């Protein structure tokens, strides 16, 4: 189980993040599992190592087979663009993701993000 392996990696290399990342990346290559790369990416992101995190999110997306997992990687990457003030890139990626994942129930989150970044105009006022 990937999550058991993640827990073991944290236990074994808690004081050596570089080694933990290396081991998890080897595990991702060996098992073809995006879980390990996504875990590394999230930790890198928390450390402010954004470009390195983005690379891992992209690699994780390539390994995942389910559309929901791939969409989650896209959301991570869109979040990076949004946090960096790259609103137009984030909106473009959101719209592409809507086209790609629109049939998924989770895709409702994409519409919410579009509305946050590019709010729809207010409804016309009703006359009393």
């Amino acid at each position: 189980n990937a999550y058991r392996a993640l827990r073991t990696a944290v236990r074994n290399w808690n004081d050596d993040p570089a080694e933990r990342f290396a081991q998890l990346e080897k595990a991702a290559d060996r098992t073809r599992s995006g879980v390990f790369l996504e875990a590394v990416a999230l930790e890198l992101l928390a450390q402010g190592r954004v470009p390195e995190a983005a690379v891992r999110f992209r690699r994780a997306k390539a390994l995942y087979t389910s559309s929901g997992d791939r969409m989650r990687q896209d959301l991570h990457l869109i979040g990076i663009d949004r946090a960096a003030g790259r609103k137009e890139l984030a909106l473009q990626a959101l719209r592409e993701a809507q086209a790609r994942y629109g049939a998924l129930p989770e895709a409702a989150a994409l519409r919410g993000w579009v509305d946050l970044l590019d709010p729809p105009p207010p409804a016309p006022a009703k006359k009393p």
Side-chain angles (χ1 to χ4, degrees):
N1 168 315
Y3 297 103
R4 190 173 299 154
L6 283 173
R7 191 177 77 218
T8 299
V10 169
R11 245 190 333 214
N12 289 344
W13 299 290
N14 189 46
D15 295 332
D16 189 355
E19 181 63 22
R20 182 173 62 250
F21 293 168
Q23 292 297 326
L24 289 172
E25 291 195 39
K26 286 179 193 174
D29 292 339
R30 191 173 50 253
T31 63
R32 305 286 305 152
S33 173
V35 171
F36 299 116
L37 290 171
E38 186 176 4
V40 170
L42 288 168
E43 193 168 342
L44 289 168
L45 193 60
Q47 294 173 2
R49 296 165 61 183
V50 178
E52 294 172 78
V55 168
R56 277 27 171 239
F57 286 132
R58 286 186 189 95
R59 287 180 53 209
K61 180 182 173 184
L63 291 177
Y64 279 123
T65 56
S66 90
S67 295
D69 289 331
R70 288 180 177 186
M71 186 183 95
R72 189 176 60 253
Q73 303 319 296
D74 283 339
L75 283 171
H76 290 309
L77 293 163
I78 290 164
I80 288 170
D81 283 336
R82 181 179 176 216
R86 296 185 295 260
K87 178 182 167 183
E88 292 308 315
L89 276 177
L91 277 169
Q92 178 183 346
L94 281 165
R95 291 187 174 111
E96 289 170 2
Q98 283 180 306
R100 190 176 312 119
Y101 306 114
L104 297 176
E106 301 96 324
L110 299 168
R111 177 79 243 159
W113 273 43
V114 168
D115 289 346
L116 281 172
L117 293 176
D118 189 20
K126 294 187 180 200
K127 295 181 182 179

